[in-house]
Amino acid sequence: MSGAAITAGERPADYIEPRRIIAFLAMVFGMFMAILDIQIVSASLAEIQAGLGASSDEIPWVQTSYLIAEVIMIPLSGFLSRMLSTRVLFTTAAAGFTAASALAATATNIDQMIVYRAIQGFIGGGMIPSVFAAAFTIFPPSRRAVVSPMIGLVATLAPTIGPTVGGYISHAMSWHWLFLVNIVPGILVATAAWTLIDFDKPNLSLWKKFDWWGLAGMAAFLGSLEYVLEEGPGNDWMQDETVFVFTVVMVVGAVLFFWRAFRAEEPIVDLRAFTNVNFAFGSLFSFVIGIGLYGLTYLYPIYLGRIRGYDSMMIGEALFVSGLAMFFTAPISGMLSRRMDPRVMMMIGFLGFAAGTWQMTNLTADWDFWELFVPQILRGVSMMLCMVPINNIALGTLPPERLKNASGLFNLTRNLGGAVGLAIINTMLTHRNAFHYARLSEHVQWGNPAATEKLESLSRNFETHGGIDGSAAALARLSAMVHQQAALLSFMDVFYLLTVLFASLAIFALFIRKPPATVGGGGGH
C-alpha cells in the first residue's frame, strides 16, 4: 500500500475507529466505578454509621437498597438500550450515578442515605451490561482476546480491591469522600459517552410496547429475592415476619414476570437467549463465579476482622494481593484465549480456585498476610482464567440483536450468584458456629483433665500478673477461646464447601460444546 491515506474501502477487516475505542474505554471506566462503589462502601459502613447516627439494624440498608435497585436495572437495561440507544442510556446512567453520588455525600440521616443509594444503584446499574454488549458488538472476533480480559478484569478486580480502596479513603479523609471521589470521573465518563458513542440508533417505537406489568413483576421478584437473601441469614429466614412477607411477594412477582416474559409482544427481558446452549452454560458458570468472587471478598475480611482484630485499612492491605494477581493475569489470559481450548482454560481456573480454598481449610487463628498469600494469588489468577472464556462462550456466539438483552441477563447471573452465595455462607457460618461451639463445650468441662488443667493454669497466670479474680478471668478467657475455635471451624466448613463446588465445576466444563475457533456474530459494524 502506498504512503497515501488509507481509504475506508482499503481498511483491514478488523479496523476499529479510534473514537469507538476511546468511547469503549470510557464505558469500561464507568462500569468500574459502578461495581467498585458497592465494595468501597461495604468496607466503611462503621464510619458511615457513626457519621449518620444510625443503628446497627439500619446501616446494612445502605448496601441493601443499592443492591436491590441495581439488580432490577441490570436486566431492564437491555430493553432501555434498544429503545433509547447505548449512547443515551449510558450517558444518562453515568450522569445519574454521579449526581446520586453527590447527593449521598450530603446525606445527614440514614433515611436520606438509603434513598440516595437506591437511586445510585438503579441508575448506575445501566452502565454494567452496556459495556459487555458494546464489547461484543463493536469488536470483531479477532480483537476479542484484548477486549474480553479487559472487561473481565474490571468486573472481578473492582469487587476485590474495593475493601482496600474504601479502607484507605475513610482512614485518610472522611466517609463523605467514598461518594465524592465519583464526581469528577463521572462527569468525564458522561461527557465522553455523549460525545463519542455511535454504535446504534434508538428505536422509540418500543416505548408504545413497554411492558409495565412485566416490569412490576420483575421488580417485585428480583427486589424481594435480593432482600430475602440479604436479610434471611441473620433473621432465621421464614421465622422473621418481614422475610416471610417478602418471600410471598417474590413468588407472586416471579409468576407475573415469567408469564409476561413469554406472553408479551416485547418482553422487558427476552429469555430466549437461554435457548443458546453456550449462553445457558456461560450464565451458569457466571452464577458460580459470582459465588466465588463475592463470597471470598466477604469471607477474608470477616476472618481478619473477627479473628485477627484487623481494622478496615489493615484488611485492605492484606487483601491487595488478589487484585495484583488479577491485574497481571489479565493479559496472559487474553493470550491464552487465542491459543487454548476455552474449556481447558476454565478447568484450570476452577481447579486453581479449588486449590486456593482447599488450602484455607487448614486455617488457624494465627494466619496472617503470608499464610493467606498463596490462596490469594490462586484466587486472583484463577478468577481471570475463568472469566475470559466464560465471557466469550456466553456472549460470543449470539447475534448482535440479541446481545443487549443477553448481556443484562449474563451480568444478572453473576450478581445473583453473589447474593445467593453470601446468603448460604452467612447461614452456614451461623449454624456451623453454633454446632461446633456445642460440640467443643461438651469437652471443655470439669470432668475433662486437660480442660481443668488449662483453667487452673490460666487462673494462676491472671492472679500472678493482674491481682484480679483469677478463676473468673480464666473462665472468661477459656470461653473466648472456645468461641474463637468454633468460629474458625465454621470458616473451614465454608471453604471446604467452596472447594467441592469449584472442583466439581471443573468436571462440568468438559460437557460444554466446544465453541467454534472463530466466533461469529457480533462482529464490528
Side-chain angles (χ1 to χ4, degrees):
M1 228 175 258
S2 67
I6 298 172
T7 64
E10 294 171 310
R11 283 172 180 161
D14 62 353
Y15 176 79
I16 302 160
E17 291 176 39
R19 64 176 284 156
R20 286 193 165 189
I21 295 172
I22 297 166
F24 180 71
L25 292 174
M27 290 175 76
V28 168
F29 192 78
M31 176 174 92
F32 180 76
M33 283 167 48
I35 299 176
L36 183 71
D37 200 75
I38 303 168
Q39 298 299 336
I40 63 171
V41 172
S42 73
S44 309
L45 285 176
E47 287 85 347
I48 297 173
Q49 183 179 349
L52 296 176
S55 71
S56 56
D57 289 339
E58 291 170 328
I59 201 66
W61 274 95
V62 172
Q63 284 299 78
T64 306
S65 60
Y66 185 100
L67 293 169
I68 287 175
E70 185 190 55
V71 89
I72 295 167
M73 179 50 135
I74 285 176
L76 175 62
S77 63
F79 185 91
L80 293 180
S81 180
R82 285 190 299 138
M83 184 172 79
L84 302 172
S85 80
T86 303
R87 178 191 184 207
V88 172
L89 175 69
F90 197 90
T91 306
T92 306
F97 177 82
T98 307
S101 296
L103 284 172
T106 66
T108 53
N109 60 51
I110 189 68
D111 294 334
Q112 287 178 4
M113 176 62 88
I114 289 168
V115 171
Y116 298 152
R117 285 287 282 167
I119 296 169
Q120 196 185 17
F122 184 74
I123 301 179
M127 288 194 276
I128 300 167
S130 302
V131 177
F132 281 80
F136 286 87
T137 304
I138 61 175
F139 291 96
S142 58
R143 297 290 184 94
R144 301 250 171 95
V146 177
V147 180
S148 206
M150 191 192 298
I151 56 174
L153 177 65
V154 168
T156 50
L157 184 66
T160 307
I161 66 167
T164 309
V165 177
Y168 179 79
I169 290 172
S170 53
H171 262 78
M173 296 175 271
S174 71
W175 64 264
H176 302 84
W177 282 94
L178 298 168
F179 305 104
L180 293 173
V181 290
N182 292 329
I183 293 175
V184 174
I187 292 169
L188 293 174
V189 166
T191 307
W194 184 255
T195 313
L196 300 170
I197 293 176
D198 62 348
F199 315 148
D200 51 14
K201 296 278 184 283
N203 179 6
L204 296 175
S205 64
L206 288 174
W207 176 249
K208 294 175 188 154
K209 301 173 185 174
F210 194 89
D211 183 15
W212 293 101
W213 283 109
L215 176 61
M218 185 177 78
F221 168 43
L222 294 177
S224 301
L225 175 64
E226 187 74 44
Y227 176 85
V228 169
L229 292 172
E230 282 273 317
E231 300 294 317
N235 294 317
D236 211 10
W237 294 99
M238 296 303 148
Q239 305 304 313
D240 180 82
E241 190 180 334
T242 315
V243 172
F244 178 76
V245 169
F246 271 101
T247 305
V248 173
V249 174
M250 178 186 81
V251 172
V252 173
V255 171
L256 177 59
F257 166 65
F258 285 110
W259 178 63
R260 294 302 299 169
F262 293 112
R263 295 295 299 273
E265 185 185 349
E266 279 289 346
I268 286 287
V269 178
D270 184 2
L271 299 176
R272 286 176 302 171
F274 286 114
T275 58
N276 178 305
V277 175
N278 278 6
F279 178 76
F281 270 110
S283 297
L284 174 67
F285 288 134
S286 174
F287 182 86
V288 181
I289 282 289
I291 296 175
L293 175 64
Y294 291 103
L296 291 190
T297 305
Y298 174 77
L299 271 172
Y300 281 116
I302 284 211
Y303 162 75
L304 291 170
R306 277 189 201 166
I307 309 291
R308 302 289 300 160
Y310 279 23
D311 63 20
S312 57
M313 186 69 184
M314 292 161 76
I315 290 170
E317 287 168 353
L319 298 185
F320 201 61
V321 179
S322 270
L324 282 178
M326 285 179 186
F327 189 77
F328 288 117
T329 311
I332 297 167
S333 64
M335 289 188 290
L336 287 175
S337 69
R338 274 186 284 197
R339 296 172 172 81
M340 192 184 271
D341 184 330
R343 297 173 301 177
V344 176
M345 254 183 99
M346 281 195 291
M347 279 187 70
I348 294 169
F350 289 141
L351 289 173
F353 204 100
T357 50
W358 176 250
Q359 284 192 310
M360 292 299 293
T361 58
N362 299 313
L363 194 64
T364 72
D366 301 320
W367 276 36
D368 217 323
F369 179 84
W370 289 110
E371 286 83 2
L372 297 175
F373 187 76
V374 174
Q376 292 237 70
I377 286 183
L378 281 169
R379 168 195 171 197
V381 169
S382 304
M383 192 61 76
M384 284 312 303
L385 288 176
C386 293
M387 198 71 180
V388 173
I390 287 172
N391 287 349
N392 288 341
I393 281 173
L395 299 174
T397 55
L398 290 167
E401 64 275 9
R402 285 273 182 91
L403 267 171
K404 290 179 179 179
N405 267 321
S407 176
L409 284 171
F410 179 68
N411 281 279
L412 177 67
T413 55
R414 190 176 61 252
N415 279 31
L416 287 181
V420 170
L422 290 181
I424 294 168
I425 286 167
N426 268 323
T427 305
M428 263 193 84
L429 285 177
T430 306
H431 288 284
R432 298 301 291 174
N433 199 337
F435 169 78
H436 288 303
Y437 184 75
R439 291 290 301 275
L440 291 168
S441 301
E442 290 170 10
H443 296 283
V444 184
Q445 291 179 345
W446 293 112
N448 185 326
T452 311
E453 188 182 323
K454 180 71 176 174
L455 197 62
E456 287 169 357
S457 161
L458 284 168
S459 183
R460 283 196 301 274
N461 214 0
F462 279 121
E463 282 169 356
T464 308
H465 291 94
I468 52 176
D469 182 355
S471 57
L475 207 57
R477 179 81 186 100
L478 198 61
S479 173
M481 288 165 73
V482 174
H483 271 292
Q484 186 191 64
Q485 198 57 41
L488 276 172
L489 288 167
S490 62
F491 276 112
M492 289 183 211
D493 290 343
V494 172
F495 282 118
Y496 184 78
L497 182 72
L498 287 171
T499 304
V500 172
L501 175 68
F502 277 88
S504 56
L505 269 185
I507 301 161
F508 213 66
L510 291 170
F511 295 99
I512 326 178
R513 281 193 327 214
K514 184 179 179 180
T518 304
V519 179
H525 293 301

